């Protein structure tokens, strides 16, 4: 029934059945309405047309105000040359223009406008009011327009322009856009979308005209702050920063190229060669038969990647779209950006007007280039070379700083980034070799892609089918994704880090030999783990609950045994429930000083390696920290002494340690700085042994430090399961226990005992002659083992880092992965 319905409709329109097939001339109003609908498709088109008129009028300041996304009101104010009063009558008529005289002028047109159609179109779909004043005029004139002709400003008044106050320049108000096209109006949806499109157009002009001294502002009616504002005299870079933010601006590469100066004269040198290469046999002298262009712009390096594509192209100052040029850039970036990542590109081309056809689209958004293939090839190459140069310098930095592990370099890195640096360089070396273009480059990257697929198939990976435009990088990362068991959200590679502590550390780069042989547990000879007599509940701790003794570990792990500690809080770990005010106060102190920012870093760190005696590297998220591990250990053991006050187990010493002898040994060392007034070492040692013997009961009860009747040290606390402090620290410990503890006040006493204990437990074994020093760090192997296998794993759960560690730079951020992206990407 459909054709019959159409027939009925046509009859109804034509009046009688005989009139149906007759050709009639459409009413001018109908013609204009149809044309207007094509030229002005949405508010942003109207804005673009009016901005271009302002620029054609030589304006240096353009302000746009919108209401309801431009559908209720669009107002453009400029400071251009204005419109003559006598022209006001026909300014909005179709095909009236001041910019074109004869058809030949089209070939060399340099103004945006030439059809005399834009304003006319707007008046057919909106209520337009123009107020304009020329420099030589005493006042401004205002007129209202509808359907291309002036209408009275007020009902019953004259339609002639009315004098009024106003600045030099033109203000055009467009109200109720599409008031007579309800279907289109309904299709627009949210007003904010239309406003965003307007902002987008103005942003592009603001960037392009920044260095030509034109300032742009765009804001919503009634809102104090502007959505776009570029002041006069700012540079293109500054405009990009103002409009799009510093994250884009920071990563910009500026480029220039072409064989023509922007003013149209031939350019000598490198740029000339590029175009020359692109057009192969042709020469610049043959100006009419070869590509001539000048290119300037900014594009982001591979650090920047956005979900939204921003490609701004101006050709002879005209904002246009060119699928071919965009494709050429996309092709280069596909190799270096993550999948679905887009760069920011701003490209301004100057082409001889005779090489450009601007009259191919009703909104002028498309243009035809005479030498399109040559142009895209040249631009492709410029983009590629600039990115390549930017990459090269950073690749060099990586090579000079980090020794690269062979396995990682030759297989893993290439598996993930087959299209990065080297291949990009390799590919461009090929492209320099012969007459090429995006077409060839496309083939080239496809072949890379297929080889990438082959490689991944060889490795047993799934090779998902790729879209035709995806590059080697995209295909590799897709196949990597295919391997993942779950569909992971897209991750910025700059934020992709090692999270498994068992992964590689610095060792392969530093260690001369790591044979994994068990070393003798020196202290094990004199020290056995003895369980605490009772826990907080008064129940004796079962021997089975204890961590394995060093001997047991050695037995279990055989040849490869090393000391180790838990990376998680052991289930047997309990905190004191002592009700002493002094202990409560000390515990509260630990709480108060805990630094929330450091907690995560310490708990979730990944150990990187021991750097030297006092320093290690750890990684947390994307940051690398230099840590003074002794400081952290001291704090941890102090906290453990307080948090396990009265309930910690003990390490029984066998044979026992003669306090007097040990203290004498310490005092004999010049580092003890014993003053003659303190007495002889003998006297002092006796005194200290007496004192410790006297305090032994209390020390034993709370800290498991027991000195017997024979002045022998019998036990010390078992602060951390599986860890025995180095016996090297014992002489000093005994001396300091007597000399530095404040025995008169309870809180100070407990605090100082815990501090002295922490010094002992944070003492690394001194290198013995027989021991191998770790190459690169000069640390004794035992010390190295303690730090990496005991201290750092324990820091994760036993240390509550205080802000003091930050103040003393004990945990110092030294690098951030985002900044070293290039370096890590290729590791
Ligand atoms: N802001 C302005 N300042 C000064 N003159 C203007 C301004 N806007 C429009 N005009 C004048 O009005 C005329 C008509 O403008 P309109 O945009 O309709 O046509 P055009 O710019 O000549 O061609 P096109 O339809 O291709 O844009 C222009 O030729 C120009 O002389
Ligand atoms: Mg115009």
């Amino acid at each position: 029934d459909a054709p019959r319905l159409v027939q009925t409709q046509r009859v109804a329109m034509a009046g009688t059945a005989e009139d149906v097939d007759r050709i009639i001339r459409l009413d001018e109003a109908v013609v204009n309405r149809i044309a207007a609908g094509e030229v002005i498709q949405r508010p942003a088109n109207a804005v673009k047309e009016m901005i271009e008129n302002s620029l054609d009028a030589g304006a240096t300041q353009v302000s746009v105000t919108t209401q309801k996304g431009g559908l209720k009101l669009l107002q453009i104010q400029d400071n251009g040359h204005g419109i003559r009063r006598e022209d006001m009558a026909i300014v909005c008529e179709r095909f009236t223009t001041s910019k074109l005289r004869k058809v030949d002028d089209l070939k060399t047109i340099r103004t945006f406008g030439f059809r005399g159609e834009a304003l006319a179109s707007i008046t057919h779909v909106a209520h337009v009011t123009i107020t304009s004043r020329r420099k030589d005029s005493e006042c401004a004139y205002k007129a209202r327009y509808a359907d291309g002709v002036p209408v009275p400003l007020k009902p019953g008044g004259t339609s002639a322009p009315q004098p009024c106050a106003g600045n030099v320049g033109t203000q055009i108000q467009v109200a109720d856009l599409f008031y007579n096209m309800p279907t289109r109006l309904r299709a627009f949806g949210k007003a904010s979308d239309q406003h965003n499109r307007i902002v987008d157009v103005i942003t592009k002009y603001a960037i392009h005209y920044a260095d030509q001294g034109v300032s742009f502002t765009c804001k919503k009616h009634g809102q104090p702050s502007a959505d776009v504002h570029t002041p006069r005299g700012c540079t293109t870079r500054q405009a990009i920063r103002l409009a799009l933010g510093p994250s884009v601006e920071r990563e910009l590469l500026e480029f220039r190229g072409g064989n023509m100066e922007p003013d149209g004269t031939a350019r000598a040198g490198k740029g000339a060669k590029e175009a020359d290469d692109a057009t192969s046999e042709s020469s610049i002298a043959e100006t009419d038969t070869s590509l001539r262009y000048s290119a300037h712009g900014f594009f982001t390096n591979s650090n920047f990647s956005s979900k939204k594509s921003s490609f701004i192209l101006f050709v002879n100052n005209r904002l246009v779209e060119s699928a071919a040029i965009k494709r050429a850039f996309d092709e280069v970036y596909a190799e270096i950006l993550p999948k679905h990542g887009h760069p920011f590109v701003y490209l301004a081309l100057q082409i001889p007007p005779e090489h450009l056809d601007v009259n191919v689209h009703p909104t002028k958004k498309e243009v035809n280039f005479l030498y399109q293939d040559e142009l895209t090839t040249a631009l492709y190459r410029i983009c590629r070379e600039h990115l390549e140069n930017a990459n090269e310098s950073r690749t060099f930095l990586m090579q000079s700083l980090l020794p690269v592990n062979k396995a990682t370099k030759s297989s893993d890195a290439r598996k993930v980034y087959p299209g990065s640096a080297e291949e990009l360089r390799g590919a461009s070396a090929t492209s320099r070799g012969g007459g090429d273009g995006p077409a060839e480059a496309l083939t080239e990257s496809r072949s890379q892609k297929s080889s990438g697929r082959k490689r991944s198939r060889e490795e047993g990976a799934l090779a998902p089918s790729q879209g035709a435009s995806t590059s080697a990088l995209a295909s590799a990362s897709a196949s990597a994704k295919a391997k993942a068991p779950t569909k992971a959200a897209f991750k910025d590679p700059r934020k992709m880090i090692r999270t498994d502590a068992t992964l590689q550390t610095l060792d392969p780069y530093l260690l001369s030999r790591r044979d994994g042989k068990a070393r003798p547990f020196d202290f094990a000879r004199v020290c056995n783990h003895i369980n605490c007599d009772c826990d907080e509940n008064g129940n004796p701790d079962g021997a089975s609950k204890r961590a394995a003794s060093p001997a047991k570990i050695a037995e279990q792990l055989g040849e490869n045994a090393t000391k180790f500690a838990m990376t998680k809080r052991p289930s047997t770990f309990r905190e004191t429930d002592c009700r002493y005010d002094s202990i409560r106060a000390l515990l509260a102190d630990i709480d108060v000083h805990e630094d929330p920012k450091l907690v995560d870093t310490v708990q979730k760190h990944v150990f990187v390696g021991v750097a030297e005696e006092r320093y290690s590297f750890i990684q947390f998220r994307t940051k690398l920290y230099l840590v003074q591990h002794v400081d952290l250990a001291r704090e941890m053991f102090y906290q453990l002494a307080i948090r396990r006050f009265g309930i910690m187990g003990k390490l029984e010493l066998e044979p026992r340690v003669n306090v007097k002898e040990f203290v004498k040994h310490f005092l004999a060392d010049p580092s003890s700085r014993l003053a003659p007034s303190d007495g002889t070492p003998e006297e002092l040692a006796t005194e200290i042994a007496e004192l410790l013997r006297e305090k032994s009961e209390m020390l034993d009860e709370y800290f498991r430090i027991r000195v017997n009747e024979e002045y022998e040290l019998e036990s010390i606390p078992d602060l951390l399961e599986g860890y025995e402090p180095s016996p090297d620290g014992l002489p000093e410990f005994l001396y300091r226990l007597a000399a530095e503890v404040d025995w008169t006040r309870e809180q100070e006493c407990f605090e100082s005992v815990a501090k002295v204990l922490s010094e002992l437990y944070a003492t690394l074994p001194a290198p013995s002659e027989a021991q191998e020093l770790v190459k690169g760090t000069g640390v004794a192997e035992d010390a190295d083992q303690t730090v990496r296998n005991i201290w750092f794993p324990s820091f994760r759960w036993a240390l509550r880092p205080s802000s003091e560690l930050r103040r003393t730079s004990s945990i110092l951020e030294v690098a951030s992965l985002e900044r070293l992206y290039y370096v890590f990407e290729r590791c």
Side-chain angles (χ1 to χ4, degrees):
D1 291 345
R4 204 177 304 153
L5 200 74
V6 172
Q7 187 70 12
T8 324
Q9 233 174 3
R10 288 179 69 187
V11 171
M13 283 191 306
T16 62
E18 288 85 61
D19 288 347
V20 166
D21 294 335
R22 282 192 51 205
I23 298 173
I24 55 152
R25 193 174 297 280
L26 280 178
D27 191 60
E28 215 179 303
V30 179
V31 174
N32 288 339
R33 181 80 57 84
I34 292 171
E38 278 177 17
V39 176
I40 309 298
Q41 294 170 351
R42 54 169 50 92
N45 294 132
V47 170
K48 177 176 178 279
E49 289 295 341
M50 290 187 285
I51 287 179
E52 289 182 349
N53 280 344
S54 298
L55 293 168
D56 280 344
T60 55
Q61 225 169 6
V62 181
S63 307
V64 179
T65 310
T66 72
Q67 221 175 332
K68 290 213 169 136
L71 292 167
K72 187 159 197 296
L73 177 77
L74 259 181
Q75 179 179 295
I76 281 92
Q77 170 87 53
D78 68 49
N79 63 350
H81 57 54
I83 304 170
R84 284 184 183 80
R85 182 187 183 280
E86 50 276 29
D87 291 341
M88 293 279 277
I90 57 160
V91 69
C92 287
E93 262 179 44
R94 251 187 120 189
F95 312 127
T96 56
T97 179
S98 57
K99 302 164 193 177
L100 193 78
R101 293 287 177 261
K102 50 191 192 306
V103 76
D104 269 0
D105 295 350
L106 257 183
K107 291 185 196 158
T108 54
I109 193 92
R110 286 191 185 270
T111 53
F112 291 110
F114 52 84
R115 305 162 303 184
E117 223 182 341
L119 282 183
S121 297
I122 297 172
T123 61
H124 282 101
V125 291
H127 302 120
V128 175
T129 308
I130 300 181
T131 311
S132 191
R133 180 180 161 194
R134 285 182 65 94
K135 209 163 59 187
D136 50 12
S137 169
E138 279 180 356
C139 64
Y141 289 92
K142 187 176 189 173
R144 180 161 294 168
Y145 300 85
D147 295 327
V149 291
V151 292
L153 277 165
K154 286 184 195 141
T158 162
S159 57
Q162 297 297 305
C164 64
N167 295 328
V168 173
T170 306
Q171 185 197 74
I172 303 182
Q173 283 185 326
V174 178
D176 307 319
L177 193 56
F178 301 120
Y179 72 97
N180 49 6
M181 298 176 83
T183 323
R184 183 170 301 191
L185 206 53
R186 271 199 302 274
F188 282 133
K190 279 196 286 182
S192 59
D193 289 347
Q194 299 309 315
H195 178 77
N196 291 344
R197 282 175 185 265
I198 293 170
V199 168
D200 194 53
V201 168
I202 297 171
T203 300
K204 289 173 176 170
Y205 278 94
I207 289 171
H208 181 69
Y209 277 91
D211 67 354
Q212 297 180 42
V214 185
S215 134
F216 283 86
T217 307
C218 172
K219 63 175 189 170
K220 280 188 192 147
H221 179 78
Q223 277 196 0
S225 63
D227 293 314
V228 184
H229 176 65
T230 49
R232 252 187 102 177
C234 75
T235 63
T236 311
R237 247 180 194 283
Q238 286 165 337
I240 294 174
R241 191 185 174 90
L242 285 168
L244 303 166
S247 61
V248 178
E249 191 261 342
R250 232 185 349 248
E251 312 295 352
L252 287 180
L253 302 172
E254 185 171 9
F255 70 96
R256 281 178 200 280
N259 55 359
M260 185 184 103
E261 295 295 341
D263 63 6
T265 54
R267 177 191 291 173
K270 193 174 176 289
K273 197 177 163 297
E274 282 158 15
D276 235 5
D277 287 351
T279 51
S280 5
E281 306 96 57
S282 57
S283 80
I284 300 161
E286 301 168 62
T287 49
D288 287 329
T289 57
S290 66
L291 167 69
R292 282 197 298 143
Y293 78 104
S294 138
H296 173 233
F298 291 87
F299 45 65
T300 45
N301 60 32
S302 58
N303 273 346
F304 179 85
S305 169
S306 161
K307 280 184 206 147
K308 203 177 135 213
S309 173
S310 313
F311 190 86
I312 306 177
L313 174 63
F314 278 83
V315 180
N316 292 357
N317 294 328
R318 206 178 278 285
L319 177 63
V320 294
E321 287 172 13
S322 162
I325 296 179
K326 186 169 184 297
R327 211 177 308 122
F329 276 80
D330 284 348
E331 200 55 46
V332 182
Y333 277 99
E335 295 174 34
I336 57 164
L337 290 191
K339 204 178 176 195
H340 307 304
H342 297 281
F344 164 82
V345 176
Y346 156 63
L347 170 63
L349 293 175
Q350 290 294 331
I351 308 259
E354 60 275 19
H355 290 185
L356 194 70
D357 188 355
V358 291
N359 193 19
V360 288
H361 193 273
T363 63
K364 303 178 203 158
K365 75 173 185 182
E366 279 172 22
V367 286
N368 278 350
F369 299 97
L370 192 54
Y371 299 104
Q372 179 159 302
D373 288 349
E374 291 86 345
L375 179 65
T376 49
T377 304
L379 293 172
Y380 173 88
R381 189 175 299 168
I382 292 176
C383 175
R384 191 167 190 138
E385 278 177 5
H386 275 77
L387 285 169
E388 205 180 289
N389 290 341
N391 286 344
E392 259 171 20
S393 58
R394 295 187 188 208
T395 309
F396 174 74
L397 182 71
M398 179 272 289
Q399 284 166 348
S400 66
L401 286 180
L402 283 179
V404 179
N405 177 277
K406 275 188 199 133
T408 319
K409 188 186 161 196
S410 59
S411 57
D412 298 7
R414 289 183 67 80
K415 217 188 303 169
V416 182
Y417 300 109
S420 59
E422 292 126 273
E423 293 202 11
L424 187 60
R425 246 195 310 281
S428 87
T430 336
S431 71
R432 264 193 291 272
D436 58 310
E440 273 186 38
L442 210 87
T443 339
E444 190 174 47
S445 85
R446 279 196 192 119
S447 70
Q448 281 177 14
K449 183 177 65 181
S450 59
S451 72
R453 276 188 201 166
K454 214 156 102 195
R455 214 168 18 226
S456 52
R457 269 199 213 111
E458 278 160 14
E459 286 153 12
L462 299 170
S465 62
Q466 299 290 309
S469 64
T470 52
S471 69
L473 168 63
S475 101
S477 63
S479 65
K481 264 189 201 145
K483 281 188 215 170
T486 52
K487 195 166 167 262
F490 168 72
K491 288 219 169 54
D492 182 346
R494 281 171 289 163
K495 306 221 161 162
M496 280 159 67
I497 54 155
R498 223 164 39 111
T499 51
D500 183 349
T502 60
L503 292 182
Q504 201 171 24
T505 65
L506 277 180
D507 304 351
Y509 314 118
L510 298 177
L511 302 186
S512 58
R513 183 179 68 86
R514 182 151 298 282
D515 54 17
K517 277 200 185 122
R519 279 169 307 286
F521 292 99
D522 294 341
F523 203 36
R525 280 187 293 112
V526 294
C527 156
N528 285 311
H529 287 257
I530 303 295
N531 304 318
C532 170
D533 302 332
C534 56
D535 64 20
E536 65 207 305
N537 304 317
N539 304 319
D541 270 352
S544 57
K545 286 189 201 162
R546 305 299 306 161
S549 72
K552 218 167 170 189
I553 298 164
E555 192 186 290
Q556 280 170 2
L557 302 178
E559 282 279 275
N560 295 318
T562 49
K563 294 180 190 179
F564 73 95
M566 309 285 273
T567 52
K568 284 193 187 128
R569 181 179 161 132
S571 55
T572 48
F573 182 87
R574 276 187 290 272
E575 303 216 9
T576 184
D577 65 348
C578 172
R579 297 271 141 226
Y580 295 170
D581 285 350
S582 53
I583 292 299
R584 293 286 120 203
L586 292 172
L587 285 168
D589 229 33
I590 296 173
D591 279 348
V592 169
H593 289 103
E594 190 173 53
D595 187 318
K597 283 190 193 143
L598 286 184
V599 171
D600 255 14
T601 314
V602 170
Q603 282 180 357
K604 296 178 189 152
H605 77 264
V606 175
F607 182 72
V608 177
V610 177
E612 56 140 85
E613 205 185 330
R614 294 186 63 85
Y615 297 100
S616 292
F617 285 114
I618 59 167
Q619 181 186 329
F620 172 61
R621 299 216 170 115
T622 53
K623 307 228 160 66
L624 183 72
Y625 296 87
L626 186 64
V627 173
Q628 300 202 34
H629 46 242
V630 174
D631 292 356
L632 269 67
R634 200 182 293 118
E635 185 158 302
M636 175 178 73
F637 288 118
Y638 165 78
Q639 291 174 354
L640 285 172
I642 300 294
R643 289 165 70 194
R644 310 206 66 209
F645 180 82
I647 62 158
M648 72 259 293
K650 67 181 171 189
L651 297 167
E652 196 152 283
L653 308 178
E654 191 62 52
R656 314 250 157 101
V657 166
N658 186 316
V659 176
K660 247 164 108 177
E661 289 306 313
F662 267 58
V663 173
K664 256 194 331 200
H665 175 78
F666 172 72
L667 294 173
D669 193 306
S671 68
S672 64
R673 300 213 189 97
L674 182 66
S677 58
D678 295 336
T680 64
E682 178 70 34
E683 285 164 5
L684 207 56
T686 316
E687 225 174 279
I688 286 173
E690 281 291 348
L691 178 70
L692 294 183
R693 166 73 207 93
E694 188 188 311
K695 303 288 181 195
S696 174
E697 199 179 336
M698 182 272 281
L699 284 174
D700 185 20
E701 185 178 352
Y702 301 132
F703 296 103
R704 311 288 170 227
I705 303 169
R706 184 177 171 79
V707 178
N708 66 20
E709 302 293 327
E710 268 73 58
Y711 306 102
E712 287 167 344
L713 180 66
E714 274 186 6
S715 67
I716 54 171
D718 184 9
L719 288 181
L720 186 70
E721 286 184 24
Y723 176 62
E724 312 96 26
S726 160
D728 298 337
L730 275 177
E732 183 173 356
F733 164 71
L734 291 168
Y735 168 77
R736 293 181 66 176
L737 192 59
E740 289 180 12
V741 170
D742 180 346
W743 301 102
T744 53
R745 286 171 298 176
E746 184 181 303
Q747 184 173 329
E748 283 73 7
C749 173
F750 294 152
E751 187 179 7
S752 48
V753 172
K755 283 213 164 115
V756 174
L757 269 173
S758 72
E759 291 287 347
L760 169 67
Y761 284 70
T763 303
L764 283 170
S768 70
E769 272 179 27
Q771 248 180 27
E772 183 111 354
L773 293 187
V774 179
K775 192 185 153 205
T777 62
V779 179
E781 274 213 59
D782 253 7
D784 184 88
Q785 290 295 317
T786 303
V787 171
R788 72 177 56 239
N789 294 336
I790 297 180
W791 286 5
F792 274 98
S794 316
F795 290 160
R796 288 163 169 267
W797 62 270
L799 173 64
R800 302 182 58 188
S802 69
S803 36
E804 184 69 4
L805 293 175
R806 192 196 293 277
R807 200 187 62 74
T808 53
S809 302
S810 301
I811 300 182
L812 191 68
E813 184 193 318
V814 286
S816 147
L817 191 62
E818 282 97 337
R819 295 195 195 140
L820 293 174
Y821 176 47
Y822 276 101
V823 176
F824 279 73
E825 183 196 34
R826 287 163 182 80
C827 279

